[in-house]
Amino acid sequence: MASIHIYKSQLAHNFIITKLKKLKYLRVEFEGNLKPFEIPALRGALVDKIGKNHQVFHNHNGNDGFIYRYPLVQYKVIRNQPALLCLDEGVDEIHHFFQKQDWSIDISGRTLTMKVSRLDMKQFNLQAWDKSFYFNIRNWIALSQKSYADYKLIENLAERIRFLETKLIGNILSFAKGVDWHIEKQVEVSITHMNDPKWVSLKNQKVLGFDLDFSSNVFLPNFIGLGKSVSLGYGTVVQKKS
């Protein structure tokens, strides 16, 4: 079965948090071809160029420990080109790269000049609405080891959809917390179309990834990541027309 269509709106999941958030947003796309599996090499090369003392670019502290927070700098492939997505503090910190005289980096035995091909800088008023927005999310890593075991035990398709909707809401709340956004309305999510899950590679391991469409009353900016490993391009959200 190639895909699953959900024609009837699923159960809405509701959570309450409070107020409007102004979000600084910068998306930079660079010339040159890059494959999704090369994103970790892109991050490593840019961190070396910028300097490991700037933690927002790698989310590790000086003791090699991981900083558990929503990544404010995310590395992506957009239109087959290397790209950076910066949010809030990440927008302020990106000058550590652009102030370099030489932007070029070496990846997989070749040099990328990192010449800017597209730059999109905005400020969003993030809020929840009384209407729905429509999104696609790709390579969404929704499940931990424990929740994957719980997911496998669910045999009914509608219940699996509701289970994933709950995970998606949790990811939206994690994004909101990470950018200091307190949503003032009930958060509603409905998965409307889902391809069959697939195995994707993450840090030399296979994990379950989802490609699906969903609607929500929460506005999400283009190309932000939801779920696990969003700094490496997983779980990228793109807006769709209704």
Side-chain angles (χ1 to χ4, degrees), residues 42-110:
L42 172 68
R43 181 175 70 169
L46 286 174
V47 168
D48 287 342
K49 174 75 70 172
I50 295 165
K52 294 183 179 180
N53 54 316
H54 302 292
Q55 295 178 350
V56 71
F57 293 98
H58 53 81
N59 279 349
H60 287 80
N61 61 33
N63 298 320
D64 296 325
F66 187 74
I67 302 173
Y68 291 95
R69 65 183 180 191
Y70 182 82
L72 299 180
V73 174
Q74 299 172 22
Y75 304 83
K76 300 180 182 289
V77 171
I78 301 175
R79 289 176 274 270
N80 298 315
Q81 295 180 314
L84 283 175
L85 179 70
C86 305
L87 305 172
D88 275 354
E89 179 188 349
V91 176
D92 299 330
E93 291 290 307
I94 193 59
H95 75 274
H96 293 297
F97 173 69
F98 288 119
Q99 72 183 5
K100 302 290 184 182
Q101 293 183 348
D102 176 17
W103 298 353
S104 63
I105 58 175
D106 293 325
I107 290 181
S108 303
R110 70 189 192 279

Side-chain angles (χ1 to χ4, degrees), residues 143-151 163:
L143 306 175
S144 64
Q145 186 174 8
K146 180 183 183 304
S147 58
Y148 172 66
D150 294 338
Y151 177 82
F163 184 82

Side-chain angles (χ1 to χ4, degrees), residues 132-144:
S132 293
F133 300 90
Y134 297 83
F135 307 95
N136 172 264
I137 186 169
R138 295 185 60 82
N139 291 328
W140 175 43
I141 303 177
L143 306 175
S144 64

